[in-house]
Amino acid sequence: MANNSHQRKKKRSKTSKRHKQQEPAGPRRFSEFGKASRQGRRSTANVGAQYKYKNAAVEVNFDTKSSIATTLSFGGEILPSTNVNASLRLPEYGSSQLNLKFQQSFRNATLSISVGLNQSPDILLSATIGTSSIAFGIESKYKTTSRSFGRLDAGISVTNPSRDASIILAEKGDLLRLAYAHRFGQSRKISAVAEVTRRLSNNKNSLAVGVSCIADKLTTVKATLNNRGKLQALLVQKIKPNSSLNISAEFNMKALDKIPRIGLALALRL
């Protein structure tokens, strides 16, 4: 009898563990809405290194402008389902930030708070509700100097393994942004993206299209072109499983006589 009771407890514990592993992921953060369509990257040169230990990580980046950016992250260490992220940038310490992300506390909601580390910090608040497939979100910036909300954005994001679409109404209803990414085939190694923005106050539109191709396990190529004639290309070459070399280029198709901008970035993760 005791043996049978012990076996039933073991079965129940295995079942509960299986249910925990199968719990669906919560909604994405508002900052990730439309992220799949943003492939462009500024041409610059920088070197970065990252070290991870359990739920903590330290990342340091150096660029050609003699700027040093250090990011310290903790996941679930202070409070359950909470990520704490602090970034310090020198010599421009005014752009340093403290970020708090609360997720899975309500299973179907996320809350993010970002506070600038300066004398008159701006506080960025964002919240989303939904599932990993569809999410509704809102983001607002509170200015402590004027004690007023200077920005209010809202949007919806729909995603699945092959598609990623989002609609965002930003800048207090003046800017409408539509983004879409489509991954082709079962392997999803080739994807096409498009982003359309319309400023309602002056009826000006902008369009950007792009393509991404995973050539092999180590090489990825991306390119984007917008209606102003700016062509951006990016080559990502993995050196190690967690390290990569990025080479970027930016051309002005309407002024081919100008020298293109070339960028180089090295990311090392230990």
Side-chain angles (χ1 to χ4, degrees):
M1 292 288 290
N3 190 29
N4 291 337
S5 175
H6 180 67
Q7 288 180 351
R8 282 196 297 269
K9 287 181 180 179
K10 287 180 67 177
K11 286 182 180 180
R12 281 196 298 266
S13 64
K14 287 181 180 180
T15 305
S16 62
K17 288 181 180 179
R18 201 178 301 122
H19 286 315
K20 287 182 179 179
Q21 293 175 355
Q22 293 175 356
E23 284 184 358
R28 57 174 58 184
R29 290 176 291 173
F30 189 85
S31 60
E32 296 173 343
F33 284 20
K35 189 176 181 179
S37 66
R38 299 193 292 268
Q39 296 187 22
R41 180 173 298 187
R42 290 184 179 180
S43 299
T44 183
N46 65 75
V47 178
Q50 185 185 71
Y51 176 76
K52 285 187 175 182
Y53 179 74
K54 294 184 178 179
N55 291 330
V58 179
E59 185 173 356
V60 182
N61 288 281
F62 307 87
D63 62 24
T64 52
K65 297 180 181 179
S66 301
S67 177
I68 304 174
T70 304
T71 303
L72 179 63
S73 304
F74 296 95
E77 293 288 338
I78 299 177
L79 291 172
S81 305
T82 303
N83 289 75
V84 180
N85 178 296
S87 62
L88 178 64
R89 182 177 293 274
L90 297 173
E92 300 173 358
Y93 65 89
S95 61
S96 302
Q97 288 185 334
L98 175 65
N99 304 304
L100 302 177
K101 175 194 170 188
F102 306 91
Q103 189 168 15
Q104 302 298 330
S105 297
F106 306 103
R107 186 177 298 179
N108 292 324
T110 65
L111 174 65
S112 298
I113 304 173
S114 178
V115 183
L117 299 179
N118 51 47
Q119 292 182 348
S120 302
D122 290 340
I123 302 175
L124 188 64
L125 305 170
S126 67
T128 58
I129 186 170
T131 65
S132 59
S133 299
I134 181 170
F136 302 87
I138 189 170
E139 184 176 75
S140 181
K141 178 181 285 188
Y142 179 77
K143 295 180 176 294
T144 56
T145 53
S146 60
R147 296 183 180 180
S148 62
F149 288 93
R151 196 181 86 195
L152 182 62
D153 304 342
I156 179 175
S157 173
V158 180
T159 181
N160 62 33
S162 298
R163 300 173 183 85
D164 191 311
S166 66
I167 301 175
I168 295 176
L169 189 61
E171 299 184 13
K172 296 183 178 180
D174 186 46
L175 185 66
L176 181 64
R177 181 183 298 114
L178 294 83
Y180 180 75
H182 189 95
R183 292 170 281 271
F184 298 93
Q186 294 182 351
S187 60
R188 303 184 182 92
K189 291 184 176 181
I190 299 176
S191 61
V193 300
E195 183 176 88
V196 180
T197 60
R198 179 178 178 83
R199 191 165 292 279
L200 304 179
S201 58
N202 55 17
N203 293 326
K204 285 189 176 181
N205 302 322
S206 65
L207 171 66
V209 295
V211 64
S212 174
C213 178
I214 302 176
D216 52 45
K217 294 181 179 179
L218 301 177
T219 308
T220 301
V221 181
K222 299 180 180 181
T224 58
L225 177 65
N226 63 23
N227 62 319
R228 296 188 301 274
K230 182 184 291 186
L231 175 63
Q232 293 177 310
L234 175 67
L235 173 66
V236 181
Q237 183 69 39
K238 286 187 177 181
I239 304 173
K240 285 180 166 185
N242 296 321
S243 302
S244 63
L245 174 66
N246 300 342
I247 302 174
S248 61
E250 184 178 296
F251 306 87
N252 189 342
M253 304 301 291
K254 296 182 179 180
L256 295 176
D257 55 323
K258 293 185 178 181
I259 300 176
R261 299 176 61 186
I262 306 296
L264 180 66
L266 177 63
L268 302 175
R269 292 177 173 84
L270 306 177

